[in-house]
Amino acid sequence: MSFGPPLLLSSLNPLAVAGGADIPNAVTIDGSTLSRSDLLGAATSVAERIARAERVAVLAEPTVTTVLAVVGCLIAGVTVVPVPPDSGATERAHILADSGAQVWLGKAPEGSELPVVPVRRHARSWHSYPEPDPATPAFVLYTSGTTGLPKGVVLGRGAIAAGLDALADAWAWTADDVLVHGLPLFHVHGLILGVLGALRVGSPLIHTGKPTPRAYAAAKGSLYFAVPTVWSRMVEDPEAAQQLTTARLLVSGSAPLPMPVFERLRELTGHAPIERYGMSETMITLSTRADGERRPGWVGTPVRGVRTRLRDESGAPVPHDGESIGGLQVRGPMLFDGYLNRPDATAESWTDDGWFRTGDVAVIDPEGFHRIVGRESVDLIKSGGYRIGAGEVETVLLGHPAVAEVAVVGLPDDDLGQRVVAFVVRRASDAGTTERELIAHVAEQLSVHKRPREIRLVDALPRNAMGKVQKKLLS
Ligand code: MCA
Ligand code: AMP
């Protein structure tokens, strides 16, 4: 397998720094700006402090500390476990125990027992580390499945390098771009594409803290990344949207971009957005191209190195005729290595002949354009671009003494794509636990975006003759 140039050397481009071609505004985040040489010096000093660790946890707030911690680990060849800063007790304990993270690098959440290694923004080291093997895991990213607690997706350095280079090719992304986004730094989208992509390509990054239309408009970049919820809020603020006219490329992903939002964005900014599709497990495998057709509702063609196919439930091929629907399977150099500690789940997600089952249902037209139709399971919800497992939320709600039965579903939502709704049957003995208390209970245990937006108290859940809840009847 070919991995392209190494992740670190070309991502931090030390030769350019040494040659005097520093980038004064390589990363702007949390109101602070780091030049490329600041970043390299401070991150190398982080590397010196953690070089003997194997896996470290980083509380992934959108700050300079997070960026230095992650880059320091990449320099040293240490695996990073990004932890959502708002993750509740159960989720965080699971991530730490499952990943075996040895320390917190940067900042620790209150009450954590792991030791903390500080990140010093003004420390500098110019020690030179050899490029680690491309097969070394760079990240363990936790992502929800249909049931149980999140699984750790192990992403290797070589996969990340290949994935980023394929996007630079598809989007004609160069050092002349200024990337703007305000996405969380614990997922592929915000962290790997949004921070490491900018560093690898050499385009300055402006992270806006939160992805609000006003902040995006004020940043005046050339390349914008956002999830559909952000684009949908953008078109509700035409004055902000019109500021993006001077941009080069607006990119949408992580969830389906509604066609009216695509069209309105084109009217307001003059740009038809680029749509791309991916997963934590695969990085980005499909995209429309900077120099190609952009078709509302379609996510484009395979990026460099990717192949795709459709299969029906029996594993038989489904024709690529633009109409027939099948399970989407992918292969390519940017795919993950497997789920940490979960050989069962890893084996299940691959076919015998080496294709990854995405769990998404798609059509492919004769020109190779892809449209994502939906997910195979109703138990994976996408809300605001976050992937949320219904089973994980149900388990936490069932742990509340007031709850006898529960079914969690994603209902259509104009702003979020889907919103998390829990149908709850309270115990007969319960003396009036409120919806608000149940929502707060979930927020204490899991990341806050997993909180149900709504709790509907019902007398019974619809079940079939086998006693299985019929979620399709819940609306
Ligand atoms: C939210 N709030 C609530 C509840 N939910 N309050 C009470 N009960 C609830 N159930 C509060 C929030 O805390 C917030 O409060 C306010 O309501 C607004 O919340 P929300 O509508 O969620 O807006 P938001 O907080 O602005 O979030 C929208 C968002 C966010 C910014 C679009 O969802 C987001 O950052 N999404 C990005 C997800 C992402 O990056 N996914 C990538 C994974 P307050 O205002 O006080 O804070 S996918 C991936 O990586 C692959 C590879 C790919 O394809 O990209
Ligand atoms: P995550 O692992 O959080 O990145 O979620 C991956 C899932 O997000 C995919 O399996 C899809 O269901 C969904 N997804 C990502 N990008 C798109 C897109 N452009 N259109 C439709 N669904 C998408």
Side-chain angles (χ1 to χ4, degrees):
M1 191 179 291
S2 125
F3 287 113
L7 181 60
L8 172 65
L9 293 183
S10 51
S11 66
L12 288 179
N13 202 352
L15 292 178
V17 173
D22 195 3
I23 301 176
N25 54 343
V27 174
T28 303
I29 185 165
D30 193 25
S32 314
T33 296
L34 291 174
S35 71
R36 203 158 228 215
S37 58
D38 288 341
L39 178 60
L40 188 59
T44 307
S45 139
V46 170
E48 293 212 19
R49 255 175 272 137
I50 40 95
R52 284 203 298 272
E54 193 185 329
R55 234 173 255 159
V56 304
V58 173
L59 197 65
E61 292 170 337
T63 59
V64 163
T65 303
T66 298
V67 174
L68 293 177
V70 167
V71 176
C73 288
L74 288 174
I75 291 172
V78 172
T79 306
V80 182
V81 182
V83 179
D86 64 1
S87 51
T90 303
E91 188 172 334
R92 189 180 301 150
H94 166 69
I95 292 175
L96 294 178
D98 187 64
S99 68
Q102 295 143 316
V103 293
W104 284 103
L105 180 55
K107 189 174 164 191
E110 243 169 70
S112 175
E113 284 168 12
L114 280 187
V116 185
V117 175
V119 165
R120 299 203 180 92
R121 189 190 159 165
H122 298 289
R124 294 287 181 274
S125 163
W126 305 107
H127 181 79
S128 170
Y129 283 84
E131 175 71 22
D133 191 294
T136 314
F139 293 97
V140 181
L141 295 175
Y142 278 82
T143 190
S144 297
T146 50
T147 57
L149 287 161
K151 299 190 289 269
V153 169
V154 181
L155 269 178
R157 301 172 71 90
I160 292 173
L164 294 177
D165 291 348
L167 293 180
D169 168 63
W171 302 340
W173 183 4
T174 70
D176 292 334
D177 279 306
V178 173
L179 173 65
V180 177
H181 74 87
L183 298 167
L185 298 190
F186 45 89
H187 283 308
V188 166
H189 197 165
L191 178 61
I192 298 187
L193 314 187
V195 176
L196 300 187
L199 293 176
R200 185 167 175 85
V201 168
S203 63
L205 162 67
I206 300 173
H207 190 284
T208 60
K210 282 202 152 207
T212 62
R214 293 282 149 151
Y216 272 39
K220 299 262 175 257
S222 66
L223 176 61
Y224 283 82
F225 290 173
V227 296
T229 298
V230 172
W231 292 126
S232 148
R233 292 176 184 182
M234 180 71 77
V235 299
E236 295 297 316
D237 186 345
E239 218 179 288
Q242 278 156 2
Q243 302 290 315
L244 302 191
T245 317
T246 53
R248 183 179 71 81
L249 217 58
L250 312 182
V251 183
S252 179
S254 303
L257 182 68
M259 284 204 257
V261 177
F262 181 110
E263 296 296 2
R264 187 81 180 116
L265 208 47
R266 173 153 52 187
E267 279 165 34
L268 288 169
T269 67
H271 299 290
I274 287 278
E275 286 188 70
R276 95 295 180 286
Y277 158 89
M279 296 182 73
S280 305
E281 289 88 337
T282 66
M283 294 195 45
I284 307 308
T285 47
L286 297 166
S287 183
T288 52
R289 297 182 58 87
D291 59 0
E293 184 193 357
R294 302 180 205 168
R295 200 188 293 172
W298 294 70
V299 294
T301 52
V303 299
R304 196 167 67 194
V306 169
R307 285 189 292 147
T308 59
R309 69 184 193 186
L310 299 178
R311 287 291 180 269
D312 69 14
E313 275 154 22
S314 70
V318 170
H320 297 185
D321 57 11
E323 284 175 13
S324 304
I325 294 175
L328 178 64
Q329 301 183 355
V330 300
R331 58 193 307 169
M334 62 289 283
L335 267 55
F336 74 139
D337 293 336
Y339 298 109
L340 189 70
N341 306 324
R342 293 292 308 274
D344 53 330
T346 304
E348 245 174 60
S349 64
W350 297 87
T351 65
D352 291 342
D353 56 348
W355 293 71
F356 177 72
R357 299 187 171 97
T358 63
D360 288 304
V361 178
V363 301
I364 306 179
D365 82 0
E367 284 83 51
F369 248 66
H370 292 59
R371 181 164 68 84
I372 306 298
V373 176
R375 285 209 61 90
E376 277 163 8
S377 168
V378 292
D379 285 330
L380 267 191
I381 300 166
K382 265 272 156 160
S383 187
Y386 284 116
R387 171 166 152 186
I388 300 166
E392 186 183 358
V393 182
E394 286 163 358
T395 303
V396 167
L397 282 169
L398 282 172
H400 191 286
V403 176
E405 290 176 57
V406 62
V408 168
V409 294
L411 296 186
D413 186 280
D414 286 345
D415 179 44
L416 298 166
Q418 288 184 302
R419 69 177 183 284
V420 178
V421 178
F423 290 76
V424 171
V425 180
R426 282 183 301 187
R427 287 188 192 285
S429 56
D430 179 61
T433 298
T434 64
E435 290 91 329
R436 191 186 285 258
E437 285 166 328
L438 294 175
I439 291 171
H441 173 72
V442 176
E444 274 162 28
Q445 302 302 320
L446 305 176
S447 297
V448 297
H449 63 262
K450 295 179 182 173
R451 277 175 299 191
R453 301 272 157 168
E454 265 181 73
I455 301 267
R456 301 214 190 143
L457 299 172
V458 291
D459 294 333
L461 297 174
R463 292 184 185 272
N464 64 16
M466 310 291 289
K468 190 172 175 324
V469 176
Q470 293 185 286
K471 290 198 171 179
K472 296 215 161 115
L473 298 180
L474 294 170
S475 61

